[in-house]
Amino acid sequence: MLAEDQSRLQKIDELYDLRLDQYVSLPQLVVVGDQSSGKSSVLEGLTGLPFPRDSGLCTRFPTQIVFKRSKTGNTEVSIMTAHGQDDSKVDAIASFGKIQLKTLDQATFSDILAKASKCMGLPLPGQSRDVDMESFSHNILKFELSGPEYEHFSVVDLPGLFRKPTAGQTTREDMNLVRQMVGKYLSNPRSIILAVVPANVDIATQEIIQMAEDADSHGQRTLGVLTKPDLVDKGAEDKILELVSNIRGKGRFELGYTIVCNRSQSDLNITFDERNMKEVAFFTLDPWSSIPKERAGIKALKHRLNNLLVDVTRRSFQGVMSDIRTRMESLQLELDIMGPVRETTQEQRSHLINIASKFREIATKAIDAYYSRDQCFEMDDIFRLATLVVKMNEDFSETIHKKGFTRAFGGVKAGAPILPERTPSPVSGQASGHETDSRSLTQTPISETESLQYPELRSIMAQTEKVPETADGDIMEWITYKYNRSKGFEIGTTNPSLMPSLFAEQSRAWGFYAHCHVTKVIYSIHRFNHKVLQYCCNDEILCEKLWEKLVQPLLPSYKQAFQQVSFLVEVERHGNLMTMNHYFAENVRKSREARLKLQFEALNSWSTEDGEREPLLRLKDILGVVMSNDDHTIQDLHDTLKSYYKVARKRFVDAVCLQAVDHFLVSGETSPLWIFSPHFIGNMSDAELNQLAGNEDETLKRRNMIQLELASLKAGLGRLANK
């Protein structure tokens, strides 16, 4: 064996000492099979160790046998502890220590297995299992033999599969546990599987064959080992010979099969040398002599295994180093997510203040639209809050413009002074075909999915008004109807309460759409706060606790925004009609002039001068367009209502966006964006801090496990890198 290969194998064994096999895939030889497959005899032949045949104790936990070449001989036994166990179990296993052996006969071997079982809390041979006692363990019993006569070689023996529980010893749950343990070792892509099966049974009935095929679907790392050829029935030898020689592709494993002949019950007292001589003699007999020498006998098997182990270690050595680094990065990330240790009040307060400060920075950048200042703005559009709010304000303005009125205002048409002759409809609120449009626009500002995600916002949904209905009928008919019903004893004037009544009816949808708009903004800000908190606080448990703490002060700030909307709606719709905007008077004048212009043009009276036609107004024509006082009043009511509605609509939209949205929800001092702050953390009591940010027992336990694993991985990486 090359010195470089021996060095690699040595380093892989050191990784096993650190139990890194629990975290990364390490090259290994794994011996698996049924309890009655002859697995112990194969191991005995490979290692020269006297595996007990009667106790079955060695099958209760993995056993690793390692041979090393050295100038002096030494035999050492230890237990490699599985990580993640209770301290009491770890202490019990530690008491096993490292045992130095001068000899390793069958009695000594049995004593070692018994002592190891006791330290692991497993039943001793012949002992019934207590209720609270485990039957199998993931701890590894390691035999390390070194001396000048050894080549570097290592193999892992696993508990044998069984199909029937033994009363007082094993249960059906133990059957599944062993399968899971074996399956875990088989799934290691860097393991070489030694699937041991008896030659005197139907291989198709052996569960381990199917498990090996499942784990190694291409059969590239599975070597079948056939035992007990001396028990094969006469006439059945040909099938075994075909399988071992791989005639007509009988074998399902690329590495094929090797056959061995172990000691029988009558040969238990013979030496290993005598055992090997008998095996050699057996394979000189017909029909077994036809088997290729490299596939028959324990010596040939060990040679193949040694070459396979060297090959897989050579090919995967760099991959092992890469896997260790990747695992270390993953663990370090998990530690970073947990954040610093938070045992004292000062540590807890400092950690939360850091989160709140980062939260404040993200919120400020989101409102100022400094989207290039942090990577979160590329992760989700919800972080681009300024852009979202501006877009929602624009949508709100467009909605009020197109859907905010109860009846569409009439345009200026030729012949407009002549009112419709249809009888005005006394019903002013009947739904028309426009109702569907209103509902489809925004009937539910928060969807059911959104309300489930943030159930605390369900109360906000309840504050929205009913969907407004656009009314049927012409607006001039409606104004005429309202005018006729409001006449009093006044002379030459209209009832002063008529215009406020008309405007209140025409703007009745404003409250609904304004509440819908503010509800959408609130949901976006609420979701923004949650997302930013998750981004700033990587600890999921702590984040949820902070969110629960933060939700309560957020809701009152939302209510302020709704109260402001209600205030603005009340002022606009039910207060005195008032405006200092000169566009109101100008719009009224323009409406009247446009109406007169169309009326005069409709007279169809023309004069011709210099070949060009010009409108000609005659006194009798002008007198002809003079309408009645009622008609004039109704037309004037329409023009005044239309002009004031336009001015008030723009004023209302600006007020909602500036006051309810910007001041109460975005930039004001009481905005929900600024509630979570260092000052918010500073006002918490020590008890609140501990409840929020104190490390829980599970977190502390996980942190300790990560730190221990990181230390092991770091030590392992150092040994691999050491020349």
Side-chain angles (χ1 to χ4, degrees), residues 273-291:
D273 289 339
E274 292 173 334
R275 176 256 177 227
N276 293 340
M277 291 175 61
K278 290 195 66 173
E279 184 183 51
V280 171
F282 177 82
F283 286 115
T284 61
L285 302 175
D286 289 333
W288 309 109
S289 59
S290 62
I291 297 176

Side-chain angles (χ1 to χ4, degrees), residues 616-641:
L616 176 65
L617 296 181
R618 294 171 295 191
L619 181 59
K620 65 176 182 178
D621 294 328
I622 296 174
L623 294 176
V625 300
V626 175
M627 62 187 72
S628 66
N629 288 338
D630 285 351
D631 291 343
H632 176 79
T633 300
I634 292 170
Q635 290 286 0
D636 199 52
L637 282 172
H638 174 273
D639 294 344
T640 302
L641 177 62

Side-chain angles (χ1 to χ4, degrees), residues 229-442:
D230 51 324
L231 300 181
V232 175
D233 294 335
K234 293 294 183 179
E237 297 94 342
D238 289 346
K239 292 183 179 179
I240 303 301
L241 295 176
E242 289 180 356
L243 189 62
V244 176
S245 302
N246 198 26
I247 298 175
R248 293 192 296 272
K250 290 290 185 180
R252 287 178 283 184
F253 304 134
E254 188 174 305
L255 298 178
Y257 282 82
T258 296
I259 189 167
V260 297
C261 185
N262 297 313
R263 293 187 295 179
S264 63
Q265 290 294 323
S266 60
D267 295 332
L268 293 181
N269 294 326
I270 65 175
T271 65
F272 290 117
D273 289 339
E274 292 173 334
R275 176 256 177 227
N276 293 340
M277 291 175 61
K278 290 195 66 173
E279 184 183 51
V280 171
F282 177 82
F283 286 115
T284 61
L285 302 175
D286 289 333
W288 309 109
S289 59
S290 62
I291 297 176
K293 292 182 179 181
E294 67 274 12
R295 292 180 178 269
I298 201 70
K299 185 177 180 179
L301 175 61
K302 187 171 182 178
H303 180 73
R304 289 196 68 191
L305 292 177
N306 194 52
N307 289 339
L308 287 171
L309 183 59
V310 169
D311 182 59
V312 72
T313 303
R314 185 183 300 162
R315 286 187 286 107
S316 60
F317 192 79
Q318 292 300 323
V320 171
M321 295 181 67
S322 177
D323 287 352
I324 291 177
R325 292 191 183 96
T326 301
R327 179 69 178 175
M328 291 177 66
E329 292 173 359
S330 175
L331 291 174
Q332 188 59 54
L333 178 61
E334 189 173 349
L335 275 182
D336 293 341
I337 290 175
M338 288 183 178
V341 178
R342 306 186 296 272
E343 294 183 357
T344 67
T345 300
Q346 181 60 34
E347 290 171 339
Q348 295 161 3
R349 193 181 301 276
S350 176
H351 182 58
L352 293 184
I353 287 177
N354 287 336
I355 295 174
S357 298
K358 187 176 181 181
F359 182 99
R360 190 72 176 253
E361 290 176 6
I362 298 297
T364 301
K365 293 171 184 175
I367 294 305
D368 294 339
Y370 288 163
Y371 299 145
S372 62
R373 304 292 178 86
D374 198 285
Q375 63 178 358
C376 69
F377 297 108
E378 301 299 328
M379 296 167 53
D380 191 330
D381 284 347
I382 190 62
F383 289 100
R384 297 174 175 251
L385 189 60
T387 303
L388 289 176
V389 172
V390 169
K391 180 63 169 62
M392 286 186 285
N393 283 341
E394 292 173 348
D395 291 344
F396 169 61
S397 177
E398 186 70 10
T399 297
I400 290 292
H401 174 59
K402 292 183 176 180
K403 302 291 183 180
F405 49 80
T406 303
R407 293 170 177 81
F409 287 100
V412 180
K413 302 177 182 179
I418 303 175
L419 296 176
E421 297 180 357
R422 293 176 298 172
T423 303
S425 171
V427 182
S428 61
Q430 285 184 340
S432 70
H434 299 290
E435 179 181 349
T436 303
D437 295 334
S438 297
R439 284 189 176 150
S440 63
L441 182 67
T442 174

Side-chain angles (χ1 to χ4, degrees), residues 575-645:
N576 290 324
L577 305 188
M578 183 183 302
T579 180
M580 298 295 107
N581 192 328
H582 68 279
Y583 283 112
F584 167 68
E586 186 175 343
N587 287 336
V588 172
R589 178 182 60 79
K590 287 181 179 179
S591 295
R592 291 171 178 170
E593 289 178 354
R595 190 181 303 280
L596 285 173
K597 181 180 178 181
L598 287 177
Q599 290 174 358
F600 289 144
E601 289 177 348
L603 294 176
N604 202 21
S605 177
W606 303 89
S607 66
T608 302
E609 289 187 12
D610 299 328
E612 294 184 1
R613 299 184 67 200
E614 293 288 342
L616 176 65
L617 296 181
R618 294 171 295 191
L619 181 59
K620 65 176 182 178
D621 294 328
I622 296 174
L623 294 176
V625 300
V626 175
M627 62 187 72
S628 66
N629 288 338
D630 285 351
D631 291 343
H632 176 79
T633 300
I634 292 170
Q635 290 286 0
D636 199 52
L637 282 172
H638 174 273
D639 294 344
T640 302
L641 177 62
K642 180 179 180 180
S643 299
Y644 183 79
Y645 179 90

Side-chain angles (χ1 to χ4, degrees), residues 30 40 46 104 149 183 224 280 328 419 425 435 455 529 615 707 722:
V30 182
S40 295
L46 288 172
L104 188 55
E149 72 275 22
V280 171
M328 291 177 66
L419 296 176
S425 171
E435 179 181 349
N529 278 333
Q707 291 173 340
N722 185 27

